[in-house]
Amino acid sequence: MINESELIDLVSDALGVNKDSIRPESQSHEIPEWDSLGHLSILSLLQQKLGDRYQENQELASATSIKELLECLNK
Amino acid sequence: MRLLITQTALGNRRIRVADLFDAPDLIEKTGIEHVYEAEESTTSLAVKACRKIPNLQARPIKLCLMVTQPPDDFLPANAIDLANQVGLPSNIIAFDLNQGCSGFVQALCLVERLLDYYSETLLVTADRYRSKLDQADRSTNSVFSDAATATVCATDNRLGIIYEDHYTDGAKRNLLFQSASKEDNNGHLHMSGAEIWMFTRLQVVPQIQKAIQYCEENDLKIGGVYLHQASRIVVHGIKKFLPVDKSIVFENYHIHGNTVSSTIPFLLKEHPLDESGGTTVSILAGFGVGLTSSVIVYGEK
């Protein structure tokens, strides 16, 4: 559904941070902007960009890293 | 049941969210530019709302129900102090309902049944979340306002709740809580915003859609939809999935912030329920702390 590079682009857009500050191994606690509200922005942007391809679920809401998000989205 | 009058009171200290956090996109997401903080007790704020009701002391109030969380006092019930301060007679019942953002809708469900005997009820909502917040937590500090409302409810056999649907899930307690123990999150209110947003999408949206379907199946026209005003991202996230005219889904988070159990009565003050009866109804949806979610349809019985 989404590859790692696309997800990193989307997360950096949602959080309003430089793409270079997000790596494939990044976790939410390492990025100040990736707090509860930041994560909400990520989910909202995912829904906007992926539309029908995007299946909302509670696991996505509790994901705390790029890796976890990718796993949830590509299940 | 008819809602005769609703009055409101906001915390007196107006705070510009942009002064709290240097994050230009924050207000874009929440839709809330100002929040309001009370520099008085929750009960005092509630008294302010109640005193705006004309001739309250002369009304035949038999029950005073105060939705408040957390209350000023562990005991006695804060509604008792409130009833005394606003001059209600002593031959009434007064008690608190410990519930948050779904509290007003749930209270209406209880009041409608209680009105069979307590023919006029003072229903109050009052919360001072701002005193419980971690100042560094932008997800809570940028949205919550302190406020109170007072609504007089009276018996009316023509109108009332014709549909209700509730959801209560204590397994999600950790998503929005304030523990009495200071060891838990330093005693501050904790909110997992993203997980609660997802809850509104997965649970609240289907609940409201079911209520809309009920109206369609019974040829009822929806005159107004009153959602708990959590923030722009939550309200819009729900609104887009509702098959109704979007102009009847009222909003005021941008004016008052998230006033917890008071958001829907604030909406009611600006957009009173349509009491013309017939086939026109209103949908009210309160959701949040618990997690809980309650949706009702109000109209002609």
Side-chain angles (χ1 to χ4, degrees):
Chain A
M1 183 193 303
I2 187 170
N3 64 39
E4 190 178 80
S5 168
E6 287 169 335
L7 179 61
I8 288 175
D9 281 352
L10 186 145
V11 169
S12 63
D13 271 347
L15 300 181
V17 301
N18 196 304
K19 285 185 183 103
D20 297 335
S21 62
I22 312 245
R23 304 174 320 278
E25 59 275 11
S26 288
Q27 299 190 35
S28 56
H29 67 87
E30 296 163 351
I31 302 164
E33 291 83 355
W34 197 346
D35 57 6
S36 177
L37 205 53
H39 196 66
L40 187 40
S41 303
I42 293 170
L43 296 180
S44 182
L45 195 56
L46 276 169
Q47 201 280 326
Q48 277 179 52
K49 297 277 188 195
L50 300 181
D52 290 341
R53 291 185 294 143
Y54 170 67
Q55 189 70 27
E56 290 182 325
N57 59 75
Q58 208 66 42
E59 268 183 307
L60 266 171
S62 53
T64 55
S65 67
I66 294 291
K67 185 164 174 272
E68 268 184 56
L69 278 171
L70 211 50
E71 278 170 8
C72 288
L73 288 166
N74 291 319
K75 266 188 184 165
Chain B
M1 170 177 69
R2 280 184 63 211
L3 308 189
L4 300 183
I5 181 170
T6 296
Q7 289 291 359
T8 61
L10 262 179
N12 60 303
R13 191 167 151 247
R14 190 181 194 224
I15 301 169
R16 217 167 132 254
V17 172
D19 290 340
L20 295 177
F21 302 103
D22 179 20
D25 59 337
L26 178 61
I27 294 169
E28 175 57 34
K29 286 167 193 157
T30 65
I32 298 168
E33 291 188 13
H34 296 94
V35 290
Y36 295 83
E37 188 165 291
E39 292 170 320
E40 59 194 309
S41 71
T42 308
T43 302
S44 173
L45 198 54
V47 166
K48 276 194 173 140
C50 291
R51 285 191 175 146
K52 291 179 185 177
I53 295 176
N55 302 315
L56 179 60
Q57 292 170 351
R59 302 201 69 94
I61 302 287
K62 294 193 161 65
L63 165 64
C64 176
L65 172 53
M66 183 167 172
V67 180
T68 185
Q69 188 180 72
D72 289 332
D73 294 332
F74 295 124
L75 67 153
N78 297 257
I80 296 173
D81 182 15
L82 170 70
N84 173 56
Q85 289 199 46
V86 301
L88 295 185
S90 54
N91 63 340
I92 67 163
I93 292 181
F95 61 90
D96 296 348
L97 178 62
N98 183 355
Q99 196 56 289
C101 306
S102 56
F104 181 76
V105 175
Q106 294 190 349
L108 284 180
C109 294
L110 299 178
V111 165
E112 163 137 323
R113 276 79 186 185
L114 292 169
L115 282 172
D116 279 348
Y117 183 80
Y118 305 99
S119 51
E120 197 156 301
T121 293
L122 179 63
L123 170 52
V124 173
T125 61
D127 303 284
R128 259 189 333 123
Y129 268 28
R130 290 205 66 79
S131 59
K132 330 296 174 196
L133 306 181
D134 177 349
Q135 297 302 308
D137 185 352
R138 61 176 192 154
S139 65
T140 54
N141 255 298
S142 64
V143 300
F144 287 119
S145 284
D146 300 335
T149 71
T151 300
V152 176
C153 309
T155 305
D156 187 317
N157 293 327
R158 187 178 66 95
L159 297 166
I161 297 170
I162 58 175
Y163 170 99
E164 60 185 279
D165 183 28
H166 305 287
Y167 179 83
T168 296
D169 185 2
K172 294 184 172 64
R173 171 261 183 202
N174 287 347
L175 300 185
L176 179 48
F177 72 90
Q178 186 205 3
S179 176
S181 163
K182 294 264 187 277
E183 290 172 4
D184 210 342
N185 200 40
N186 290 319
H188 290 129
L189 184 146
H190 167 79
M191 182 171 78
S192 300
E195 291 177 89
I196 291 170
W197 182 80
M198 190 60 80
F199 164 77
T200 65
R201 304 279 279 216
L202 298 177
Q203 175 59 40
V204 178
V205 164
Q207 263 184 294
I208 303 173
Q209 288 174 334
K210 237 175 79 179
I212 292 170
Q213 189 182 354
Y214 168 85
C215 296
E216 284 166 3
E217 287 167 358
N218 290 278
D219 295 320
L220 301 171
K221 176 175 174 275
I222 301 168
V225 178
Y226 302 77
L227 303 178
H228 164 56
Q229 300 291 292
S231 67
R232 171 183 288 156
I233 197 167
V234 169
V235 171
H236 285 199
I238 294 171
K239 194 168 168 172
K240 71 192 284 185
F241 290 104
L242 302 185
V244 298
D245 174 0
K246 303 300 186 235
S247 68
I248 64 160
V249 184
F250 306 121
E251 296 181 5
N252 68 6
Y253 54 78
H254 55 289
I255 303 173
H256 309 298
N258 179 341
T259 56
V260 193
S261 62
S262 297
T263 68
I264 293 176
F266 264 92
L267 283 177
L268 287 171
K269 185 169 177 213
E270 293 149 28
H271 308 279
L273 286 175
D274 188 323
E275 293 178 344
S276 57
T279 55
T280 301
V281 298
S282 304
I283 295 177
L284 286 72
F287 46 87
V289 176
L291 299 180
T292 57
S293 174
S294 288
V295 178
I296 63 173
V297 178
Y298 176 94
E300 186 168 297
K301 295 200 146 186

